[in-house]
Amino acid sequence: MKKRRNKNSIILSMLGVLVLLEAAGCSAEQNRDTTVGGTEQSQETGEEDMLTADDPESPDHEETQYYLSESIPAENFSYTIEGSEAQGDQIFTIQNISDQDYSYVQADILFYDGNSQLVDYYAGLSMYNLFAGSDQILRFVPNISTEQYDHVEVLFSGDRMTEAETVDPAGVQIEEQAKVQDGRIVAKCVNGTGTDLSTVSFRIDYFKGENKVATGYTEASMLAADRVFAVSFEAPADGWYTPLPDDYYDNWEITVVRAVPLTAE
């Protein structure tokens, strides 16, 4: 009987220890903290703050933005395509005859024979800052010569100029300009508009005598009021992007066509 009593006492003691350990474990579980990114926070709070792929703040939750250009009616432009005997490329001259300014225009050209059968296609003649009433001259190299097709259809697409606030571009003065050794035209300018500018757009027209033979554009950005700065225009090039001969033009004219203040959105 004495041994039984000792055995029962031992069993009861062990059960008591287990109960105490279980209670302590529950208490520790309730109070247990975890460390995330060096910051201590409760496990419950950490689970609530955890980002998932469905959470808009999750790195995996990203919105995809698509760029879509719109079709532009062909009647907004007049254009000609002429072959260049000296260079072997073709010259595309376009004028914006609408009252809409365009920041970007792409021309895709379909070539047809005398039976109105499609014989070739050229994609991606690109024009920037094609303002109402202005014209541009581009050169390109299609797969066929002017003798190998009868007529064309040009598909136009692009972007209309945004309605951003602008200032008088005449406030940007061109103080000096010259042709440098590599064929570029460089102009020294000053922002005399009295305001900080986000962008200034320039057009250059190249002439042979009285005939306009090439055009070009460039931009300058982030210009404080009274800032003195320089811009340059690449030498006119043929459809292979090779600079045209030095005597292709004999004079030029630079025009400031648009000035957007820094505060404009």
Side-chain angles (χ1 to χ4, degrees):
M1 293 297 293
K2 184 175 180 181
K3 290 183 179 179
R4 288 182 181 179
R5 283 198 299 270
N6 292 340
K7 185 175 182 180
N8 290 338
S9 300
I10 293 171
I11 293 173
L12 289 174
S13 298
M14 290 177 65
L15 288 174
V17 170
L18 288 175
V19 170
L20 290 174
L21 289 173
E22 184 178 0
C26 292
S27 177
E29 181 68 24
Q30 292 175 352
N31 296 323
R32 182 164 56 92
D33 286 347
T34 59
T35 301
V36 179
T39 302
E40 291 187 355
Q41 59 185 135
S42 69
Q43 182 179 10
E44 182 180 0
T45 303
E47 289 174 353
E48 289 178 352
D49 291 345
M50 186 179 300
L51 293 176
T52 67
D54 296 329
D55 195 307
E57 295 183 4
S58 171
D60 294 331
H61 187 90
E62 297 180 357
E63 292 186 4
T64 303
Q65 295 183 348
Y66 298 95
Y67 169 79
L68 298 174
S69 60
E70 61 181 0
S71 291
I72 303 174
E75 55 265 26
N76 285 15
F77 310 103
S78 65
Y79 58 87
T80 61
I81 300 177
E82 299 175 341
S84 168
E85 295 182 2
Q87 306 305 125
D89 55 358
Q90 296 184 34
I91 304 172
F92 183 80
T93 303
I94 181 173
Q95 183 178 22
N96 180 0
I97 59 176
S98 73
D99 57 1
Q100 175 65 57
D101 297 331
Y102 292 97
S103 59
Y104 173 72
V105 175
Q106 176 173 309
D108 300 326
I109 305 174
L110 301 173
F111 298 87
Y112 294 88
D113 63 16
N115 297 319
S116 294
Q117 296 296 311
L118 180 64
V119 294
D120 199 14
Y121 169 61
Y122 187 92
L125 272 177
S126 300
M127 292 145 279
Y128 299 90
N129 295 327
L130 187 57
F131 296 96
S134 68
D135 59 358
Q136 292 190 30
I137 301 173
L138 300 90
R139 304 176 76 106
F140 69 110
V141 185
N143 295 322
I144 57 178
S145 65
T146 54
E147 292 78 18
Q148 293 176 290
Y149 63 89
D150 179 73
H151 60 280
V152 303
E153 179 185 4
V154 183
L155 309 177
F156 294 101
S157 60
D159 303 314
R160 288 173 286 185
M161 192 75 72
T162 59
E163 299 296 329
E165 177 188 354
T166 59
V167 297
D168 186 359
V172 179
Q173 297 116 24
I174 300 173
E175 295 188 332
E176 188 177 0
Q177 53 187 294
K179 182 179 180 180
V180 297
Q181 289 185 354
D182 61 3
R184 289 177 301 141
I185 303 298
V186 176
K188 176 185 175 184
C189 311
V190 61
N191 175 12
T193 62
T195 187
D196 300 337
L197 300 176
S198 63
T199 56
V200 179
S201 302
F202 298 81
R203 185 184 74 238
I204 186 168
D205 297 313
Y206 298 92
F207 297 89
K208 181 72 171 182
E210 298 295 324
N211 297 322
K212 185 187 294 186
V213 295
T215 59
Y217 275 85
T218 194
E219 285 190 341
S221 60
M222 305 306 290
L223 303 168
D226 301 320
R227 163 85 178 271
V228 179
F229 63 99
V231 295
S232 67
F233 302 85
E234 296 298 324
D238 61 20
W240 292 274
Y241 306 103
T242 302
L244 291 163
D246 288 340
D247 61 354
Y248 187 77
Y249 68 96
D250 52 31
N251 62 94
W252 67 85
E253 181 181 354
I254 299 175
T255 306
V256 186
V257 293
R258 194 166 188 253
V260 179
L262 187 60
T263 55
E265 296 182 358

